[in-house]
Amino acid sequence: MRFTDGPHVHCDVHVEAALPRVWELVTDVHLPARLSPELQRVAWLDGADRPVVGARFEGYNHHDKLGEWRTVSHVVEMDEPRVFAWAVTDADGRYGEPTLDPAKPLASWRYELEAEGEGTRLRQSALIGPGRNGVTLAIERWPDREEEIISFRLKELRAGMETTLHGIKRLAEERQ
């Protein structure tokens, strides 16, 4: 896969909990910081306190090889209780020119929920780019290793998603 192909990854899990309970968890932007190996903390911006289209929140991240950085995410889609999506921007210019334009994200993230039997099918997905990010910096440094770099990052994202989804599953099911 090449960066211009729009590298993406998704994971899903069946949760033995009703759709409203799972929705409550996935729309709590603070929860992934408790579960994710990379996202450390989150805070709403501009007086927002819940996800609605246009609301923004900042995330503080840590990666052993990339260090620490801040992003600003924009809620770009809400279809309660089925879809919650946000675009992550490079407000501080860590990877190039600073931007708060959700049309030029570092990455885009999405939760999709669907009733499945007595429970919920929960899917999390991520699309890398099209804006500059850590992957583009690595590709610029080692252009002959583009596919390897993308594959490695997608593998990291998949592992983080699996951890997050299984954490959501555990929390949703323990309150049944």
Side-chain angles (χ1 to χ4, degrees), residues 108-166:
S108 297
W109 290 82
R110 179 181 188 91
Y111 283 115
E112 295 175 77
L113 295 79
E114 182 178 336
E116 184 176 75
E118 297 294 314
T120 303
R121 172 63 47 187
L122 173 59
R123 171 176 280 199
Q124 184 178 27
S125 58
L127 168 67
I128 300 174
R132 290 180 55 78
N133 54 54
V135 171
T136 56
L137 291 182
I139 291 169
E140 288 169 1
R141 188 166 182 186
W142 300 287
D144 57 319
R145 298 175 60 192
E146 180 175 5
E147 290 185 20
E148 177 186 347
I149 291 164
I150 291 169
S151 176
F152 180 81
R153 184 59 175 149
L154 291 176
K155 183 178 175 183
E156 285 184 321
L157 292 175
R158 178 180 299 281
M161 284 180 186
E162 288 175 353
T163 299
T164 300
L165 290 177
H166 287 285

Side-chain angles (χ1 to χ4, degrees), residues 75-96:
V75 177
V76 294
E77 186 177 357
M78 285 289 295
D79 180 13
E80 186 172 345
R82 308 234 178 264
V83 177
F84 171 40
W86 62 99
V88 183
T89 61
D90 186 9
D92 298 331
R94 178 178 173 88
Y95 301 109

Side-chain angles (χ1 to χ4, degrees), residues 10-17 22 25-26 31-32 34-37 111 120-124 157-174:
H10 72 269
C11 297
D12 58 304
V13 65
H14 176 81
V15 181
E16 289 293 333
V22 179
L25 292 169
V26 302
L31 181 61
R34 292 178 27 208
L35 305 171
S36 168
Y111 283 115
T120 303
R121 172 63 47 187
L122 173 59
R123 171 176 280 199
Q124 184 178 27
L157 292 175
R158 178 180 299 281
M161 284 180 186
E162 288 175 353
T163 299
T164 300
L165 290 177
H166 287 285
I168 291 169
K169 175 181 172 67
R170 179 181 44 77
L171 289 169
E173 291 176 352
E174 74 185 16

Side-chain angles (χ1 to χ4, degrees), residues 46-84:
D46 311 317
D49 62 357
R50 62 186 176 90
V52 296
V53 171
R56 299 182 325 145
F57 57 94
E58 60 186 353
Y60 292 87
N61 302 278
H62 173 80
H63 186 282
D64 289 339
K65 293 183 176 136
L66 298 174
E68 295 182 1
W69 69 98
R70 180 183 81 108
T71 61
V72 172
S73 293
H74 305 254
V75 177
V76 294
E77 186 177 357
M78 285 289 295
D79 180 13
E80 186 172 345
R82 308 234 178 264
V83 177
F84 171 40

